[in-house]
Amino acid sequence: SKDTGKNKYTLFDVTMEEELNRNSLITEVLRHAIANSEIYVVYQPQYNIRKEKLSGFEALMRINNPKLGELNPDEFIPIAEESGMITELGEWVLRESCRFNKNLIDHGFDTLTVSVNISSVQLSKANFIEIIENILEETDLPARNLELEVTESTLVSSLTNASVQLSSLQELGIMISLDDFGTGYSSLNYLTNMPINTLKIDKSFINNICSNDKDARIASGIINLAHSMKLEVIAEGVEKSEQLEVLRKHKCDMIQGYIYSKPLLPHAFFDILIPDPFK
Ligand code: C2E
Ligand code: CA
Ligand code: CA
Ligand code: CA
């Protein structure tokens, strides 16, 4: 009936309005996150399963607001990108992550790479290289201890420009990792022309690697492809020992996931490096 139709639309409008309200609420939180000290970084270890040792860690942005609580990155990152706030927040995360890794070096852990996620919005800025150079100088972190994680869609959206930018970064000594590999649109031909050091297999291929033969073959295919191009491979979202065994069998280089560790606060990260003798 007419009534039902009207109610449907009313419901739809309310939902849309709520979403818009939440979006603008989050945008406001993001705008003041740095000034209000509501932004921080957690670090998830990346483990080299061939050498049996910690190789580095991924920096993951967190926002904790007194009213909204801990925000989910999958919700706030797209809002930060749409509003342009990602440029400022991403730069804050970069500086903080470089400072943290420099602190680790000063404590004798000088081989670890910090991997920082970079949005296409950041990479498309003309002064991006300059920002990175300034941060490395300011924090005194050697370029080889920094890795940038970019996604396939980032590379596709601004193909030539992105590859030029990434080549310059590589020339500085910075590593480039292709994140969420397999979920984007890259063709193999295109992959060979991109300045990349590492391929990161997306969690969605790792989830069912033990039960789904097709996923296992995709993962093994990606690993062989990467190795044939002299790239290293890291698998993300590894949770179970069965998954780890399959990845070992297929000669995956590194893993990241709850099986080894969740993302950690800085002091907790230090704890896994330096076991407390009094604990
Ligand atoms: P991502 O780059 O693919 O990061 C991996 C995500 O998987 C992280 O979620 C991490 O906490 C989670 N994860 C790691 N191991 C496991 C596991 O074994 N099981 C499960 N279920 N999850 C695991 P998180 O921290 O919620 O971040 C989500 C996404 O938000 C990231 O996906 C990344 O795209 C984006 N993001 C986070 N921090 C930043 C940042 O500083 N800048 C930008 N541009 N994006 C960021
Ligand atoms: Ca990532
Ligand atoms: Ca992913
Ligand atoms: Ca991602």
Side-chain angles (χ1 to χ4, degrees), residues 39-42 44 58-62 71-78 81 86 89-90 93-94 97 115-120 122 149 151 179-180 200 202-203 207 235-240 243 256-263:
I39 180 173
Y40 63 103
V41 185
V42 287
Q44 187 175 34
E58 179 175 11
L60 294 156
M61 195 193 304
R62 295 289 181 262
L71 297 180
N72 182 348
D74 289 324
E75 182 181 26
F76 78 74
I77 294 287
E81 290 182 322
I86 194 69
L89 298 171
V93 169
L94 259 165
S97 303
S115 301
V116 183
N117 292 287
I118 301 297
S119 159
S120 56
Q122 289 170 277
E149 295 197 3
T151 62
D179 204 358
D180 295 345
K200 194 163 189 181
D202 191 65
K203 185 180 182 302
N207 287 339
E236 74 172 13
V238 182
E239 295 180 349
K240 301 188 220 82
Q243 295 170 320
Q256 180 183 340
Y258 296 169
I259 188 171
Y260 190 62
S261 172
K262 292 201 167 183

Side-chain angles (χ1 to χ4, degrees), residues 115-242:
S115 301
V116 183
N117 292 287
I118 301 297
S119 159
S120 56
V121 179
Q122 289 170 277
L123 195 63
S124 66
K125 292 280 155 66
N127 64 348
F128 184 66
I129 312 265
E130 205 180 311
I131 289 172
I132 298 273
E133 283 179 311
N134 287 342
I135 290 175
L136 288 178
E137 195 178 299
E138 194 184 309
T139 60
D140 203 21
L141 182 76
R144 63 167 180 278
N145 294 93
L146 175 62
E147 180 172 67
L148 304 180
E149 295 197 3
V150 298
T151 62
E152 290 169 272
S153 48
T154 298
L155 299 187
V156 173
S157 65
S158 53
L159 190 70
T160 47
N161 188 42
S163 94
V164 169
Q165 294 267 75
L166 294 179
S167 295
S168 317
L169 291 163
Q170 262 190 341
E171 274 160 34
L172 293 176
I174 294 164
M175 309 287 227
I176 308 294
S177 175
L178 191 53
D179 204 358
D180 295 345
F181 188 74
T183 64
Y185 327 83
S186 57
S187 76
L188 300 184
N189 142 59
Y190 154 97
L191 194 62
T192 56
N193 296 317
M194 276 297 168
I196 298 159
N197 304 90
T198 311
L199 275 195
K200 194 163 189 181
I201 309 176
D202 191 65
K203 185 180 182 302
S204 58
F205 295 110
I206 306 302
N207 287 339
N208 304 313
I209 202 173
C210 301
S211 54
N212 186 328
D213 195 44
K214 211 167 132 193
D215 283 356
R217 271 181 291 180
I218 290 174
S220 129
I222 294 175
I223 294 165
N224 290 332
L225 171 77
H227 285 162
S228 76
M229 292 171 24
K230 305 269 183 283
L231 304 175
E232 290 209 284
V233 194
I234 180 165
E236 74 172 13
V238 182
E239 295 180 349
K240 301 188 220 82
S241 55
E242 295 80 29

